[in-house]
Amino acid sequence: MSELTYREAVRAALAEEIERDQNVVLLGEEVAQFNGAYKVSEGLLDKFGPDRIVDTPISEAGFIGMGVGASMLGVRPVMELMFWSFYSVAFDQILNNAANVRYMSGGLINCPIVIRGPANGGTNVGATHSHTPENVLANHPGVKVVVPATPADAKGLLKSSIRDNDPVMYLENTLLYGIKGEVPDEADFLIPLGSADVKRAGTDLTIVTYGRCVLHSLAAAETIAKEDGAEIEVVDLRTIRPLDIDTVIKSVTKTNRVLIVEEQKPFASVGAQVAFMIQEEAFDHLDAPITRVTTIDAPAIYSPPVETEQLPNVDRVLAAARRALKA
Amino acid sequence: MSETTTSKSASAEINQGLSSADKLELYRQMMRIRRFEERSLRAYQAKKIGGFLHLYIGQEAVAVGCCSLMGEHDHVITAYRDHGHAIAVGMDTKPLMAELYGKITGCSKGKGGSMHYFDPSNNFWGGHGIVGGQIPLGVGLAYGVKYQGHKGSAMAFMGDGAVNQGAVHEAMNLAALWDLPCVFVIENNRYSMGTSQIRSTAGPGLAERALGYGMHWEKCFGHDVYEVREIMNKVLTLAREEHKPSVVEIDTYRYRGHSVADPDKTYRTREEIDEYRKNKDPLIIFQHQLTEEGVLSEESQQEIDQAARAEADAAAEFAESSPFPTEADIQKHVYWEADHPDQRTSQGRLFFS
């Protein structure tokens, strides 16, 4: 085990997989000479050279589409989006081409591509740079969607994503890049996509969450354990598609109460899908309606102190969890 | 009779090397496309085919000329007017017709339809529905060829309408910036759906847009398969030998509407279409050329035509008699992993219904 930041964990996964498989390349804006806009790829150009670590022009549609085309020939490109928010510029390449080409070819072609980068609000960069498109992506059969919360998960899930034969959308978070955690060193440390993780065991309420909201949920759970004497179970989905709903249902049957915490606009969010599945599969186990903490429903506000309130935060999770425990 | 004269490209080295059999094969391929398209039109009119049907009639010399130059590491990708390219790369017409009929025996098992033909075994990567959206993929194929150390190329076909799509320009910049062996082939049939070039496209011409990227460019008379081969051989050699991309604008013409269901008289005249049919038809031009060369007799011309008609009919019969996919097929070929359950490494639900 090593103590790594989330950023270092992503970098370690990239380095190990580039080392392991000649077909793996990293392409994106500022990934090489600049060492990464968020320093995720720092040092990789020196280590692997310009054929494996490639700076692209600011042309998301062009270079993401290029990656999709190369993946059809067996290259395994990891494409960095400086922000996932820029996916809108490459929407056709990602969600028409990568998502559909296997289907439309009757299974003759597959796209082993990973598209990764940060997708989060909370950094005062306004509505254009704060999108969290995991629900939009997961709405497209053919792609997989991964949102890791911890350094260990970031590493194990990225390695699995790069080895996966389907297109994987891997969503990081700039506010997690500096967070430290214990990360296994083994070269074969893989976390299967589609496996949720119970980050905290509890009996009184299930919080279903993922990404940075896992940290808020764990903090709120600790406070409630101390101040209210209730034990909250925190289920980190880790992967949105495939979805490990069984782990969620198992928790719900134990706690009988559910709060969903997500950095999503509420309409047709990931949580909306999860809530639907819980009521469908565990209706009789629910003692109260399912509740949610989401991003307040508006484009991301710039004003720094107000943006903190627009997003899920520890205080909002605390209040919602206390309501859910009493409902 | 048309006003054809001997092709000035007949003496080009790449054409000089053709045997009589090779020349007849070029003619035969063009005829197979023509008859396949006519047969599919009849099937469409008989309501055997759903959705759109973008016919390639009139443009045959382009796909046949280009694809006749393909080697082991040369790849093709195109837009939705893809039947001609599919036949030219070597696909069997039976699964092509079955795909139009939406049958499980179709080349995409009834999942893609007319606009989405694929055949990786013949280096054919589609068949793409969004104008210009396939061009970045074509550059990716060229990137893959170069990255894997092969001497080859990718021909990325598009129509004249696609040159105004942003993704095309991003892709051109990447190819020129990184010396990727991509040939951007613009099949200029003069109309982007119902909008003529003059109403849609600024600047002196389409190929000239390569200038902005410092890329080599060529123009080509696409009604003469020899000329297509001559020009394309030049740019493919640049791609294979020097990894240099090019833009080639090939003048061509479609006789049918953008899709067959579209009105055809709102934006061009019957006289214009007739003029092309009479004087610039690629099959007639090449037939005259081969007759002059003493390669094609009237008898062999008839034989080739009859064989192509019979092949198209057989394809339609095959399509007709094939079964449709079932509801159980809807969720196949979505994920590689779901189709290979013994090799699946992920867990959880991939599907939500």
Side-chain angles (χ1 to χ4, degrees), chain B residues 229-244:
Chain B
R229 281 172 49 84
E230 181 186 12
I231 302 289
M232 286 300 293
N233 181 58
K234 192 154 82 176
V235 295
L236 285 170
T237 303
L238 266 180
R240 294 177 193 130
E241 300 298 328
E242 300 175 39
H243 295 136
K244 289 289 185 196

Side-chain angles (χ1 to χ4, degrees), chain B residues 159-161 163 186 188 197 201-202 204-210 219 247 249:
Chain B
D160 43 297
V163 301
I186 303 165
N188 184 357
Q197 193 180 318
T201 305
L206 310 186
E208 286 88 335
R209 295 209 175 173
K219 296 207 184 202
V247 177
E249 177 184 348

Side-chain angles (χ1 to χ4, degrees), chain A residues 28-73:
Chain A
E29 293 155 8
E30 311 292 4
V31 298
Q33 282 195 30
F34 196 85
N35 275 317
Y38 286 98
K39 302 290 173 244
V40 169
S41 57
E42 190 167 32
L44 296 183
L45 174 64
D46 286 346
K47 197 165 180 192
F48 298 107
D51 287 344
R52 310 294 296 282
I53 312 294
V54 185
D55 280 326
T56 66
I58 302 174
S59 303
E60 286 84 4
F63 73 75
I64 296 283
M66 194 196 82
V68 174
S71 77
M72 301 191 306
L73 273 189

Side-chain angles (χ1 to χ4, degrees), chain A residues 6-7 10 29 31 36-41 79-88 115-123 125 128-134 137 146-148 169-178 212 263:
Chain A
Y6 187 105
R7 172 188 288 110
V10 173
E29 293 155 8
V31 298
Y38 286 98
K39 302 290 173 244
V40 169
S41 57
M79 315 298 295
E80 179 170 312
L81 284 171
M82 192 184 295
F83 293 86
W84 254 104
S85 284
F86 304 159
Y87 87 120
S88 54
I115 304 173
R116 50 156 287 272
N120 56 281
T123 57
V125 288
T128 55
H129 285 58
S130 303
H131 290 283
T132 53
E134 58 271 18
L137 298 166
V146 179
V147 192
M169 312 295 128
Y170 182 95
L171 282 62
E172 300 160 18
N173 189 315
T174 55
L175 295 174
L176 293 178
Y177 279 145
R212 180 164 167 255
E263 190 178 325

Side-chain angles (χ1 to χ4, degrees), chain A residues 254-277:
Chain A
K254 185 168 68 171
T255 65
N256 311 114
R257 289 171 191 274
V258 183
L259 169 66
I260 293 167
V261 181
E262 55 181 352
E263 190 178 325
Q264 286 261 278
K265 309 288 164 47
F267 194 98
S269 72
V270 168
Q273 174 67 22
V274 171
F276 168 79
M277 294 172 82

Side-chain angles (χ1 to χ4, degrees), chain A residues 22 52 55 59 61-62 66 73 93 97 102-104 106 142-144 165-166 193 241-243 245 281, chain B residues 108-109 111 118 133 136-137 140-141 147-148 170 174 178 330 332-333 335-337 339 346-350:
Chain A
Q22 182 63 35
R52 310 294 296 282
D55 280 326
S59 303
M66 194 196 82
L73 273 189
Q93 298 303 324
N97 289 342
R102 175 169 185 80
Y103 196 71
M104 295 195 306
V143 304
K144 295 172 176 171
N165 285 331
D166 292 307
L193 306 192
R241 188 167 186 152
L243 182 68
I245 194 69
E281 299 182 28
Chain B
S108 294
K109 303 184 179 68
K111 291 181 163 166
F118 295 86
L137 269 59
L141 293 168
Y147 183 78
Q148 292 172 345
E170 295 189 18
L174 289 171
W178 291 337
I330 293 174
K332 291 177 187 162
H333 311 117
Y335 291 98
W336 181 91
E337 261 202 328
D339 298 335
S346 79
Q347 302 167 10
R349 287 192 209 172
L350 281 166

Side-chain angles (χ1 to χ4, degrees), chain B residues 204-216:
Chain B
L206 310 186
E208 286 88 335
R209 295 209 175 173
L211 283 168
Y213 306 104
M215 228 187 313
H216 181 81

Side-chain angles (χ1 to χ4, degrees), chain B residues 272-335:
Chain B
E272 178 183 297
I273 302 170
D274 288 343
E275 167 68 16
Y276 273 95
R277 279 184 186 275
K278 208 171 124 201
N279 294 323
K280 289 184 180 168
D281 185 274
L283 277 147
I284 295 175
I285 287 178
F286 199 48
Q287 181 186 332
H288 289 178
Q289 175 69 31
L290 293 184
T291 305
E292 274 180 40
E293 289 183 36
V295 170
L296 183 69
S297 65
E298 194 169 333
E299 193 185 10
S300 56
Q301 192 277 331
Q302 286 295 319
E303 271 173 34
I304 288 168
D305 191 357
Q306 290 309 318
R309 288 173 195 272
E311 180 188 350
D313 284 340
E317 281 160 32
F318 172 79
E320 184 72 51
S321 62
S322 293
F324 287 105
T326 65
E327 216 175 298
D329 292 308
I330 293 174
Q331 289 185 317
K332 291 177 187 162
H333 311 117
V334 179
Y335 291 98

